[in-house]
Amino acid sequence: MNNVNLTASEIGMLWTQYIQNSMSIQILRYFYQTAEDGDIKSVVKEALRIAEYVTEDVKAIFRDEQLPIPNGFNENDVNLDAPKLFLDPFMLTFIENMGKAGSAAHGLSLGISSRKDIREFFSKTSIDTIQLFNMCVDVALEKGLFVRSPQIDVQNEVEYIEGKKYLSPFYKRVLNTVEIVHLFENIKTNIVGEMICTAFAQTTTSKEIKAYMKRGKEISAKHVKVFSDIFRESAINPPMGSNGFVTDNSSSVFSDRLMMFLMSVLSATGQGNYSTASTASMRFDLAITYQRLSAEIALYAKDGIDILIKHKWLEEPPQALDREEIVKKTKK
């Protein structure tokens, strides 16, 4: 038992990890149930192991601190008897993206933690997530499934920017390598989003959620085209990963609540990616493009949150006591 109370930041990050990993467990359980390739199944098994110990460790910490344990997601949010919805290569792609987002989230969580046991916890999750990502990429490379960043010829000498023309919105110079990496990664994540929306649209029985997923698919496809066209303007071939990893299964697999929550996580991640890309891009037109597309994601995410609230599916994070409300009750 630690005699130092958790900070608000530590509670918030632990709560977030519990909710998101409890969701991941249900998705990974279904992946493990339907995976056919032995190597890919091993990656899924490791991802599932990490997600399960994260939720159990957070639960233990919350019990020790006498904090309410979040509801999160459970076996009622997945139908393990449903036919195969995603082909095995998609499982690798999903875990690859989960590994990237997880590494960033665990690193941030470690950076804002002060209590030793919490720092040790996030240090362990960071290391395990990095190892999972490497395992995932190694298997994808061995099977010829990993989509590599474009290879380009670069200058032979170091150069310095000579004037504001380099940044001008009216002069579309060729892309630099920093801009290429962000365009490339955002194409990959949008292709994943397109596949997820396709799968969710065809397996939900709710007209409202089906329409929301179709809209998400259209947004992802549009963004892939925008980024791909920018590549082509610099005579660079955009990544050509397959978006055909969804089967024709139309049986219900995941609960509507889980599907909508995952979309809210993906939307938030997308906005973060675009914000980072906008800051890193030295071509002014790219920065404007990212900001414009980010606004579109923000509106989509807001509508998703409204659906979650409407159906009472959105669990509330721990918050500070409302002192004014306590005073009101005392007066009564």
Side-chain angles (χ1 to χ4, degrees):
M1 183 79 175
N2 200 304
N3 57 8
V4 179
N5 290 334
L6 292 173
T7 65
S9 298
E10 290 165 343
I11 293 172
M13 287 302 185
L14 289 167
W15 182 89
T16 300
Q17 289 300 320
Y18 185 92
I19 296 291
Q20 294 188 0
N21 278 276
S22 70
M23 174 193 67
S24 296
I25 286 171
Q26 310 317 318
I27 297 172
L28 293 167
R29 287 175 66 220
Y30 176 72
F31 282 177
Y32 190 77
Q33 183 78 8
T34 57
E36 300 169 86
D37 183 287
D39 295 328
I40 293 176
K41 196 159 189 170
S42 294
V43 176
V44 173
K45 184 178 181 180
E46 177 61 12
L48 181 57
R49 182 193 70 81
I50 294 171
E52 287 177 337
Y53 94 67
V54 168
T55 55
E56 287 305 311
D57 282 7
V58 173
K59 190 182 293 185
I61 293 169
F62 273 37
R63 279 201 194 100
D64 288 344
E65 298 298 318
Q66 298 183 342
L67 294 169
I69 297 169
N71 290 328
F73 297 87
N74 55 46
E75 62 275 4
N76 295 321
D77 291 296
V78 62
N79 176 16
L80 296 180
D81 295 324
K84 192 178 182 75
L85 179 59
F86 298 105
L87 300 184
D88 289 12
F90 173 83
M91 301 177 193
L92 278 183
T93 304
F94 182 88
I95 294 171
E96 176 198 337
N97 279 271
M98 188 172 72
K100 290 175 187 174
S103 295
H106 293 311
L108 173 63
S109 300
L110 175 61
I112 58 86
S113 299
S114 55
R115 216 172 81 172
K116 186 176 180 181
D117 62 324
I118 305 303
R119 285 186 285 114
E120 289 174 345
F121 169 71
F122 282 123
S123 294
K124 183 179 188 315
T125 58
S126 295
I127 293 169
D128 284 352
T129 304
I130 290 169
Q131 290 176 341
L132 172 65
F133 172 77
N134 285 326
M135 179 183 183
C136 182
V137 172
D138 286 343
V139 171
L141 285 169
E142 288 171 7
K143 296 182 178 297
L145 297 171
F146 189 76
V147 181
R148 295 174 182 266
S149 178
Q151 294 181 332
I152 63 169
D153 295 322
V154 297
Q155 311 101 309
N156 294 324
E157 299 177 356
V158 174
E159 296 184 6
Y160 286 84
I161 297 171
E162 298 179 353
K164 296 180 180 179
K165 186 179 180 181
Y166 191 87
L167 311 174
S168 173
F170 307 109
Y171 170 62
K172 292 188 177 181
R173 57 166 172 75
V174 294
L175 298 165
N176 64 40
T177 51
V178 175
E179 292 160 347
I180 288 172
V181 69
H182 287 288
L183 288 166
F184 169 75
E185 289 299 328
N186 284 314
I187 288 175
K188 284 182 69 174
T189 54
N190 273 289
I191 289 174
V192 172
E194 191 177 353
M195 285 189 281
I196 290 174
C197 287
T198 298
F200 288 175
Q202 71 186 40
T203 54
T204 181
T205 57
S206 166
K207 291 182 179 179
E208 177 184 40
I209 294 172
K210 189 181 293 288
Y212 185 77
M213 296 303 172
K214 286 181 177 179
R215 180 181 161 201
K217 178 183 176 181
E218 290 169 359
I219 291 172
S220 290
K222 170 188 168 184
H223 290 199
V224 168
K225 184 180 185 306
V226 170
F227 298 142
S228 297
D229 287 346
I230 294 171
F231 266 138
R232 293 188 183 98
E233 288 171 359
S234 288
I236 298 172
N237 291 324
M240 299 300 291
S242 174
N243 60 358
F245 291 147
V246 179
T247 71
D248 61 356
N249 172 36
S250 59
S251 302
S252 177
V253 177
F254 302 109
S255 68
D256 288 341
R257 173 175 175 254
L258 184 147
M259 291 190 288
M260 288 301 302
F261 183 79
L262 176 58
M263 292 309 298
S264 73
V265 172
L266 295 178
S267 296
T269 302
Q271 284 181 277
N273 291 343
Y274 284 11
S275 177
T276 302
S278 174
T279 303
S281 299
M282 299 183 75
R283 247 177 60 174
F284 191 73
D285 64 302
L286 291 183
I288 294 298
T289 296
Y290 281 121
Q291 291 169 18
R292 174 172 58 83
L293 298 182
S294 183
E296 186 173 25
I297 296 178
L299 289 173
Y300 179 72
K302 194 266 181 190
D303 291 341
I305 294 296
D306 287 345
I307 293 174
L308 285 164
I309 293 173
K310 172 185 173 183
H311 294 282
K312 298 181 179 179
W313 290 337
L314 191 61
E315 195 167 342
E316 186 178 292
Q319 62 183 39
L321 294 174
D322 187 336
R323 298 295 177 182
E324 290 187 7
E325 190 65 29
I326 292 173
V327 170
K328 288 179 183 177
K329 289 181 180 178
T330 304
K331 287 180 179 178
K332 290 179 182 179

